[in-house]
Amino acid sequence: MSVVSVDALTLRFGERVLWRDLSFALDRGELLAVLGPNGTGKTSLIRILLGLLEPTAGTVTIEGRLPSEARSRVGYIPQQRIFDRDLALRGHDLVRLGLDGHRFGAGRLSARQRDRLEHTIESVGASGYADAPLGRLSGGEQQRLRVAQALVSSPSLLLADEPLLSLDLAYQQIITGLLDSHRRSAGTPVVFVTHDINPVLSIVDRVLYLAPGSWAMGTPDEVLTSEALSALYGTPVDVLRLRGRIVVVGTPDDQHVHHVGHAH
């Protein structure tokens, strides 16, 4: 059985249809990159998978259960936002929320949970600053700890909503490397929302490209082509390969550019 099953999903806000009849399944260890311009429902898809938003039509199951019932089995990495410099919360405290943040009050962790907490922090390379106030850490250090928070409960599914936003190239590579290593070792499928395919292209299995009112899904070579995107947008779109990059030109928002750092 697939870990995630999405069947005939439609999302509408008022008269505006973001997408209809969206269907796909995710198997263990698979990485799905979700691309598309702003306002096409990328974050809304994440919210549906988290059980925080009901689709207009269609069904979603995670390990055979509704998203709202499976929420404790889903790890979530949000967009990078810098914590307030005076925030007293430590790295350990943030990661611990992935273990018992859904419970009321601050109980004691079992010995097994403490071991799990320390092992996860160590696995993302954050042991050296896990006791420091979050507000005093760099954006990349904070994002490592967010990854640890998402992984500490050994989730069945990992959702990452623009996790590389505002990170420099070095930390982009670190974060994608951590997610790739975990999904290969633990078999956890990953839904990875991004505006730039480059940092994950070498590890992505399939691409879900959301355009206004439509969508396309397949391997990067199947979806990121002039023919596929022209059909998706209903207007001529050029996909150019220049010096190891793919540049998409002619979409309604031409800032939506995919850079490819290697031959694929």
PDB file of all heavy atoms in Angstrom, residues 27-60:
ATOM      1  N   ASP A  27       5.043   6.336  -2.646  1.00  0.00           N
ATOM      2  CA  ASP A  27       5.532   5.114  -2.022  1.00  0.00           C
ATOM      3  C   ASP A  27       6.655   5.430  -1.040  1.00  0.00           C
ATOM      4  O   ASP A  27       7.158   6.561  -0.980  1.00  0.00           O
ATOM      5  CB  ASP A  27       6.028   4.145  -3.095  1.00  0.00           C
ATOM      6  CG  ASP A  27       4.901   3.659  -3.983  1.00  0.00           C
ATOM      7  OD1 ASP A  27       3.758   3.560  -3.490  1.00  0.00           O
ATOM      8  OD2 ASP A  27       5.155   3.386  -5.173  1.00  0.00           O
ATOM      9  N   ARG A  28       7.077   4.439  -0.298  1.00  0.00           N
ATOM     10  CA  ARG A  28       8.141   4.611   0.679  1.00  0.00           C
ATOM     11  C   ARG A  28       9.414   5.122   0.010  1.00  0.00           C
ATOM     12  O   ARG A  28       9.830   4.634  -1.043  1.00  0.00           O
ATOM     13  CB  ARG A  28       8.438   3.284   1.377  1.00  0.00           C
ATOM     14  CG  ARG A  28       7.421   2.897   2.438  1.00  0.00           C
ATOM     15  CD  ARG A  28       7.724   1.555   3.067  1.00  0.00           C
ATOM     16  NE  ARG A  28       9.102   1.467   3.544  1.00  0.00           N
ATOM     17  CZ  ARG A  28       9.541   1.935   4.709  1.00  0.00           C
ATOM     18  NH1 ARG A  28       8.690   2.531   5.528  1.00  0.00           N
ATOM     19  NH2 ARG A  28      10.800   1.793   5.073  1.00  0.00           N
ATOM     20  N   GLY A  29      10.022   6.123   0.642  1.00  0.00           N
ATOM     21  CA  GLY A  29      11.305   6.646   0.186  1.00  0.00           C
ATOM     22  C   GLY A  29      11.244   7.561  -1.012  1.00  0.00           C
ATOM     23  O   GLY A  29      12.279   8.058  -1.461  1.00  0.00           O
ATOM     24  N   GLU A  30      10.072   7.855  -1.531  1.00  0.00           N
ATOM     25  CA  GLU A  30       9.961   8.680  -2.734  1.00  0.00           C
ATOM     26  C   GLU A  30      10.006  10.164  -2.380  1.00  0.00           C
ATOM     27  O   GLU A  30       9.478  10.596  -1.354  1.00  0.00           O
ATOM     28  CB  GLU A  30       8.653   8.363  -3.456  1.00  0.00           C
ATOM     29  CG  GLU A  30       8.549   8.983  -4.840  1.00  0.00           C
ATOM     30  CD  GLU A  30       7.324   8.502  -5.601  1.00  0.00           C
ATOM     31  OE1 GLU A  30       6.499   7.770  -5.011  1.00  0.00           O
ATOM     32  OE2 GLU A  30       7.212   8.846  -6.784  1.00  0.00           O
ATOM     33  N   LEU A  31      10.650  10.959  -3.251  1.00  0.00           N
ATOM     34  CA  LEU A  31      10.693  12.409  -3.053  1.00  0.00           C
ATOM     35  C   LEU A  31       9.954  13.085  -4.203  1.00  0.00           C
ATOM     36  O   LEU A  31      10.335  12.953  -5.369  1.00  0.00           O
ATOM     37  CB  LEU A  31      12.126  12.927  -2.977  1.00  0.00           C
ATOM     38  CG  LEU A  31      12.262  14.373  -2.459  1.00  0.00           C
ATOM     39  CD1 LEU A  31      13.576  14.563  -1.685  1.00  0.00           C
ATOM     40  CD2 LEU A  31      12.198  15.397  -3.589  1.00  0.00           C
ATOM     41  N   LEU A  32       8.913  13.816  -3.858  1.00  0.00           N
ATOM     42  CA  LEU A  32       8.099  14.552  -4.812  1.00  0.00           C
ATOM     43  C   LEU A  32       8.345  16.042  -4.634  1.00  0.00           C
ATOM     44  O   LEU A  32       8.115  16.588  -3.553  1.00  0.00           O
ATOM     45  CB  LEU A  32       6.617  14.244  -4.595  1.00  0.00           C
ATOM     46  CG  LEU A  32       5.629  15.076  -5.419  1.00  0.00           C
ATOM     47  CD1 LEU A  32       5.719  14.714  -6.906  1.00  0.00           C
ATOM     48  CD2 LEU A  32       4.200  14.875  -4.900  1.00  0.00           C
ATOM     49  N   ALA A  33       8.822  16.713  -5.683  1.00  0.00           N
ATOM     50  CA  ALA A  33       8.996  18.161  -5.660  1.00  0.00           C
ATOM     51  C   ALA A  33       7.736  18.817  -6.212  1.00  0.00           C
ATOM     52  O   ALA A  33       7.232  18.426  -7.272  1.00  0.00           O
ATOM     53  CB  ALA A  33      10.208  18.572  -6.494  1.00  0.00           C
ATOM     54  N   VAL A  34       7.214  19.804  -5.486  1.00  0.00           N
ATOM     55  CA  VAL A  34       6.017  20.528  -5.907  1.00  0.00           C
ATOM     56  C   VAL A  34       6.442  21.922  -6.345  1.00  0.00           C
ATOM     57  O   VAL A  34       6.976  22.702  -5.548  1.00  0.00           O
ATOM     58  CB  VAL A  34       4.975  20.608  -4.775  1.00  0.00           C
ATOM     59  CG1 VAL A  34       3.723  21.333  -5.255  1.00  0.00           C
ATOM     60  CG2 VAL A  34       4.623  19.205  -4.280  1.00  0.00           C
ATOM     61  N   LEU A  35       6.223  22.227  -7.616  1.00  0.00           N
ATOM     62  CA  LEU A  35       6.645  23.487  -8.218  1.00  0.00           C
ATOM     63  C   LEU A  35       5.433  24.268  -8.704  1.00  0.00           C
ATOM     64  O   LEU A  35       4.346  23.722  -8.842  1.00  0.00           O
ATOM     65  CB  LEU A  35       7.568  23.229  -9.413  1.00  0.00           C
ATOM     66  CG  LEU A  35       8.840  22.427  -9.183  1.00  0.00           C
ATOM     67  CD1 LEU A  35       9.499  22.117 -10.515  1.00  0.00           C
ATOM     68  CD2 LEU A  35       9.794  23.194  -8.286  1.00  0.00           C
ATOM     69  N   GLY A  36       5.661  25.541  -9.025  1.00  0.00           N
ATOM     70  CA  GLY A  36       4.609  26.357  -9.619  1.00  0.00           C
ATOM     71  C   GLY A  36       4.684  27.783  -9.125  1.00  0.00           C
ATOM     72  O   GLY A  36       5.292  28.069  -8.089  1.00  0.00           O
ATOM     73  N   PRO A  37       4.065  28.689  -9.862  1.00  0.00           N
ATOM     74  CA  PRO A  37       4.068  30.103  -9.451  1.00  0.00           C
ATOM     75  C   PRO A  37       3.246  30.320  -8.185  1.00  0.00           C
ATOM     76  O   PRO A  37       2.507  29.430  -7.740  1.00  0.00           O
ATOM     77  CB  PRO A  37       3.448  30.824 -10.656  1.00  0.00           C
ATOM     78  CG  PRO A  37       2.636  29.779 -11.339  1.00  0.00           C
ATOM     79  CD  PRO A  37       3.349  28.480 -11.129  1.00  0.00           C
ATOM     80  N   ASN A  38       3.369  31.510  -7.619  1.00  0.00           N
ATOM     81  CA  ASN A  38       2.603  31.850  -6.423  1.00  0.00           C
ATOM     82  C   ASN A  38       1.107  31.775  -6.713  1.00  0.00           C
ATOM     83  O   ASN A  38       0.642  32.090  -7.813  1.00  0.00           O
ATOM     84  CB  ASN A  38       2.960  33.254  -5.940  1.00  0.00           C
ATOM     85  CG  ASN A  38       4.375  33.334  -5.404  1.00  0.00           C
ATOM     86  OD1 ASN A  38       4.900  32.355  -4.888  1.00  0.00           O
ATOM     87  ND2 ASN A  38       5.007  34.488  -5.521  1.00  0.00           N
ATOM     88  N   GLY A  39       0.345  31.356  -5.703  1.00  0.00           N
ATOM     89  CA  GLY A  39      -1.102  31.358  -5.819  1.00  0.00           C
ATOM     90  C   GLY A  39      -1.702  30.161  -6.515  1.00  0.00           C
ATOM     91  O   GLY A  39      -2.897  30.177  -6.842  1.00  0.00           O
ATOM     92  N   THR A  40      -0.912  29.106  -6.724  1.00  0.00           N
ATOM     93  CA  THR A  40      -1.446  27.920  -7.405  1.00  0.00           C
ATOM     94  C   THR A  40      -1.755  26.783  -6.439  1.00  0.00           C
ATOM     95  O   THR A  40      -2.108  25.692  -6.881  1.00  0.00           O
ATOM     96  CB  THR A  40      -0.466  27.434  -8.492  1.00  0.00           C
ATOM     97  OG1 THR A  40       0.834  27.260  -7.918  1.00  0.00           O
ATOM     98  CG2 THR A  40      -0.384  28.434  -9.625  1.00  0.00           C
ATOM     99  N   GLY A  41      -1.609  27.013  -5.139  1.00  0.00           N
ATOM    100  CA  GLY A  41      -2.059  26.024  -4.163  1.00  0.00           C
ATOM    101  C   GLY A  41      -1.001  25.086  -3.640  1.00  0.00           C
ATOM    102  O   GLY A  41      -1.327  24.015  -3.117  1.00  0.00           O
ATOM    103  N   LYS A  42       0.270  25.468  -3.734  1.00  0.00           N
ATOM    104  CA  LYS A  42       1.333  24.587  -3.227  1.00  0.00           C
ATOM    105  C   LYS A  42       1.217  24.425  -1.711  1.00  0.00           C
ATOM    106  O   LYS A  42       1.219  23.302  -1.196  1.00  0.00           O
ATOM    107  CB  LYS A  42       2.710  25.154  -3.603  1.00  0.00           C
ATOM    108  CG  LYS A  42       2.949  25.272  -5.096  1.00  0.00           C
ATOM    109  CD  LYS A  42       4.370  25.665  -5.434  1.00  0.00           C
ATOM    110  CE  LYS A  42       4.783  27.007  -4.869  1.00  0.00           C
ATOM    111  NZ  LYS A  42       3.977  28.127  -5.450  1.00  0.00           N
ATOM    112  N   THR A  43       1.130  25.543  -0.997  1.00  0.00           N
ATOM    113  CA  THR A  43       1.004  25.464   0.458  1.00  0.00           C
ATOM    114  C   THR A  43      -0.352  24.894   0.857  1.00  0.00           C
ATOM    115  O   THR A  43      -0.472  24.183   1.862  1.00  0.00           O
ATOM    116  CB  THR A  43       1.221  26.848   1.089  1.00  0.00           C
ATOM    117  OG1 THR A  43       2.579  27.258   0.860  1.00  0.00           O
ATOM    118  CG2 THR A  43       0.979  26.823   2.594  1.00  0.00           C
ATOM    119  N   SER A  44      -1.381  25.154   0.064  1.00  0.00           N
ATOM    120  CA  SER A  44      -2.701  24.575   0.352  1.00  0.00           C
ATOM    121  C   SER A  44      -2.648  23.053   0.285  1.00  0.00           C
ATOM    122  O   SER A  44      -3.299  22.367   1.088  1.00  0.00           O
ATOM    123  CB  SER A  44      -3.739  25.108  -0.637  1.00  0.00           C
ATOM    124  OG  SER A  44      -3.952  26.492  -0.451  1.00  0.00           O
ATOM    125  N   LEU A  45      -1.872  22.517  -0.647  1.00  0.00           N
ATOM    126  CA  LEU A  45      -1.714  21.057  -0.718  1.00  0.00           C
ATOM    127  C   LEU A  45      -1.062  20.528   0.557  1.00  0.00           C
ATOM    128  O   LEU A  45      -1.482  19.490   1.094  1.00  0.00           O
ATOM    129  CB  LEU A  45      -0.878  20.683  -1.938  1.00  0.00           C
ATOM    130  CG  LEU A  45      -0.576  19.191  -2.110  1.00  0.00           C
ATOM    131  CD1 LEU A  45      -1.853  18.379  -2.247  1.00  0.00           C
ATOM    132  CD2 LEU A  45       0.335  18.969  -3.316  1.00  0.00           C
ATOM    133  N   ILE A  46      -0.050  21.237   1.049  1.00  0.00           N
ATOM    134  CA  ILE A  46       0.586  20.841   2.314  1.00  0.00           C
ATOM    135  C   ILE A  46      -0.435  20.862   3.448  1.00  0.00           C
ATOM    136  O   ILE A  46      -0.496  19.933   4.275  1.00  0.00           O
ATOM    137  CB  ILE A  46       1.768  21.780   2.636  1.00  0.00           C
ATOM    138  CG1 ILE A  46       2.895  21.611   1.620  1.00  0.00           C
ATOM    139  CG2 ILE A  46       2.276  21.537   4.058  1.00  0.00           C
ATOM    140  CD1 ILE A  46       3.629  20.299   1.702  1.00  0.00           C
ATOM    141  N   ARG A  47      -1.264  21.898   3.492  1.00  0.00           N
ATOM    142  CA  ARG A  47      -2.272  22.007   4.555  1.00  0.00           C
ATOM    143  C   ARG A  47      -3.305  20.877   4.462  1.00  0.00           C
ATOM    144  O   ARG A  47      -3.776  20.373   5.486  1.00  0.00           O
ATOM    145  CB  ARG A  47      -2.964  23.371   4.483  1.00  0.00           C
ATOM    146  CG  ARG A  47      -2.069  24.514   4.932  1.00  0.00           C
ATOM    147  CD  ARG A  47      -2.731  25.879   4.736  1.00  0.00           C
ATOM    148  NE  ARG A  47      -4.026  25.958   5.374  1.00  0.00           N
ATOM    149  CZ  ARG A  47      -4.236  26.190   6.665  1.00  0.00           C
ATOM    150  NH1 ARG A  47      -3.191  26.367   7.466  1.00  0.00           N
ATOM    151  NH2 ARG A  47      -5.457  26.249   7.155  1.00  0.00           N
ATOM    152  N   ILE A  48      -3.643  20.469   3.254  1.00  0.00           N
ATOM    153  CA  ILE A  48      -4.568  19.344   3.088  1.00  0.00           C
ATOM    154  C   ILE A  48      -3.932  18.067   3.613  1.00  0.00           C
ATOM    155  O   ILE A  48      -4.573  17.273   4.315  1.00  0.00           O
ATOM    156  CB  ILE A  48      -4.967  19.205   1.608  1.00  0.00           C
ATOM    157  CG1 ILE A  48      -5.899  20.353   1.197  1.00  0.00           C
ATOM    158  CG2 ILE A  48      -5.651  17.858   1.359  1.00  0.00           C
ATOM    159  CD1 ILE A  48      -6.196  20.405  -0.291  1.00  0.00           C
ATOM    160  N   LEU A  49      -2.650  17.854   3.292  1.00  0.00           N
ATOM    161  CA  LEU A  49      -1.957  16.653   3.759  1.00  0.00           C
ATOM    162  C   LEU A  49      -1.778  16.657   5.278  1.00  0.00           C
ATOM    163  O   LEU A  49      -1.654  15.593   5.897  1.00  0.00           O
ATOM    164  CB  LEU A  49      -0.600  16.531   3.065  1.00  0.00           C
ATOM    165  CG  LEU A  49      -0.659  16.233   1.559  1.00  0.00           C
ATOM    166  CD1 LEU A  49       0.733  16.355   0.941  1.00  0.00           C
ATOM    167  CD2 LEU A  49      -1.233  14.850   1.302  1.00  0.00           C
ATOM    168  N   LEU A  50      -1.756  17.847   5.877  1.00  0.00           N
ATOM    169  CA  LEU A  50      -1.669  17.962   7.330  1.00  0.00           C
ATOM    170  C   LEU A  50      -3.037  17.853   8.006  1.00  0.00           C
ATOM    171  O   LEU A  50      -3.120  17.835   9.242  1.00  0.00           O
ATOM    172  CB  LEU A  50      -1.027  19.302   7.717  1.00  0.00           C
ATOM    173  CG  LEU A  50       0.478  19.419   7.559  1.00  0.00           C
ATOM    174  CD1 LEU A  50       0.929  20.876   7.731  1.00  0.00           C
ATOM    175  CD2 LEU A  50       1.203  18.530   8.569  1.00  0.00           C
ATOM    176  N   GLY A  51      -4.100  17.789   7.224  1.00  0.00           N
ATOM    177  CA  GLY A  51      -5.435  17.728   7.797  1.00  0.00           C
ATOM    178  C   GLY A  51      -5.934  19.058   8.315  1.00  0.00           C
ATOM    179  O   GLY A  51      -6.869  19.101   9.119  1.00  0.00           O
ATOM    180  N   LEU A  52      -5.344  20.162   7.843  1.00  0.00           N
ATOM    181  CA  LEU A  52      -5.732  21.497   8.297  1.00  0.00           C
ATOM    182  C   LEU A  52      -6.662  22.201   7.324  1.00  0.00           C
ATOM    183  O   LEU A  52      -7.181  23.277   7.628  1.00  0.00           O
ATOM    184  CB  LEU A  52      -4.478  22.360   8.511  1.00  0.00           C
ATOM    185  CG  LEU A  52      -3.474  21.836   9.520  1.00  0.00           C
ATOM    186  CD1 LEU A  52      -2.236  22.732   9.554  1.00  0.00           C
ATOM    187  CD2 LEU A  52      -4.096  21.752  10.916  1.00  0.00           C
ATOM    188  N   LEU A  53      -6.849  21.634   6.149  1.00  0.00           N
ATOM    189  CA  LEU A  53      -7.707  22.220   5.125  1.00  0.00           C
ATOM    190  C   LEU A  53      -8.444  21.103   4.413  1.00  0.00           C
ATOM    191  O   LEU A  53      -7.840  20.109   4.017  1.00  0.00           O
ATOM    192  CB  LEU A  53      -6.856  23.021   4.124  1.00  0.00           C
ATOM    193  CG  LEU A  53      -7.578  23.652   2.936  1.00  0.00           C
ATOM    194  CD1 LEU A  53      -8.536  24.754   3.421  1.00  0.00           C
ATOM    195  CD2 LEU A  53      -6.580  24.230   1.935  1.00  0.00           C
ATOM    196  N   GLU A  54      -9.748  21.286   4.253  1.00  0.00           N
ATOM    197  CA  GLU A  54     -10.557  20.292   3.548  1.00  0.00           C
ATOM    198  C   GLU A  54     -10.592  20.632   2.062  1.00  0.00           C
ATOM    199  O   GLU A  54     -10.861  21.769   1.681  1.00  0.00           O
ATOM    200  CB  GLU A  54     -11.981  20.278   4.096  1.00  0.00           C
ATOM    201  CG  GLU A  54     -12.114  19.612   5.453  1.00  0.00           C
ATOM    202  CD  GLU A  54     -11.858  18.108   5.380  1.00  0.00           C
ATOM    203  OE1 GLU A  54     -12.232  17.484   4.360  1.00  0.00           O
ATOM    204  OE2 GLU A  54     -11.288  17.565   6.339  1.00  0.00           O
ATOM    205  N   PRO A  55     -10.323  19.657   1.190  1.00  0.00           N
ATOM    206  CA  PRO A  55     -10.452  19.914  -0.244  1.00  0.00           C
ATOM    207  C   PRO A  55     -11.918  20.087  -0.623  1.00  0.00           C
ATOM    208  O   PRO A  55     -12.817  19.652   0.102  1.00  0.00           O
ATOM    209  CB  PRO A  55      -9.853  18.665  -0.874  1.00  0.00           C
ATOM    210  CG  PRO A  55     -10.080  17.584   0.137  1.00  0.00           C
ATOM    211  CD  PRO A  55      -9.941  18.255   1.478  1.00  0.00           C
ATOM    212  N   THR A  56     -12.154  20.705  -1.765  1.00  0.00           N
ATOM    213  CA  THR A  56     -13.517  20.864  -2.250  1.00  0.00           C
ATOM    214  C   THR A  56     -14.115  19.519  -2.631  1.00  0.00           C
ATOM    215  O   THR A  56     -15.304  19.258  -2.418  1.00  0.00           O
ATOM    216  CB  THR A  56     -13.540  21.815  -3.460  1.00  0.00           C
ATOM    217  OG1 THR A  56     -12.880  23.040  -3.110  1.00  0.00           O
ATOM    218  CG2 THR A  56     -14.959  22.108  -3.898  1.00  0.00           C
ATOM    219  N   ALA A  57     -13.288  18.662  -3.213  1.00  0.00           N
ATOM    220  CA  ALA A  57     -13.732  17.321  -3.597  1.00  0.00           C
ATOM    221  C   ALA A  57     -12.522  16.407  -3.613  1.00  0.00           C
ATOM    222  O   ALA A  57     -11.377  16.856  -3.647  1.00  0.00           O
ATOM    223  CB  ALA A  57     -14.410  17.344  -4.968  1.00  0.00           C
ATOM    224  N   GLY A  58     -12.777  15.108  -3.582  1.00  0.00           N
ATOM    225  CA  GLY A  58     -11.694  14.137  -3.627  1.00  0.00           C
ATOM    226  C   GLY A  58     -11.321  13.621  -2.255  1.00  0.00           C
ATOM    227  O   GLY A  58     -11.837  14.073  -1.219  1.00  0.00           O
ATOM    228  N   THR A  59     -10.396  12.662  -2.224  1.00  0.00           N
ATOM    229  CA  THR A  59      -9.993  12.037  -0.971  1.00  0.00           C
ATOM    230  C   THR A  59      -8.474  11.975  -0.849  1.00  0.00           C
ATOM    231  O   THR A  59      -7.758  11.888  -1.845  1.00  0.00           O
ATOM    232  CB  THR A  59     -10.550  10.602  -0.864  1.00  0.00           C
ATOM    233  OG1 THR A  59     -10.044   9.817  -1.963  1.00  0.00           O
ATOM    234  CG2 THR A  59     -12.061  10.608  -0.895  1.00  0.00           C
ATOM    235  N   VAL A  60      -8.010  12.018   0.393  1.00  0.00           N
ATOM    236  CA  VAL A  60      -6.590  11.871   0.714  1.00  0.00           C
ATOM    237  C   VAL A  60      -6.489  10.900   1.879  1.00  0.00           C
ATOM    238  O   VAL A  60      -7.231  11.029   2.868  1.00  0.00           O
ATOM    239  CB  VAL A  60      -5.953  13.219   1.121  1.00  0.00           C
ATOM    240  CG1 VAL A  60      -4.490  13.015   1.498  1.00  0.00           C
ATOM    241  CG2 VAL A  60      -6.068  14.233   0.004  1.00  0.00           C
TER     242      VAL A  60
END
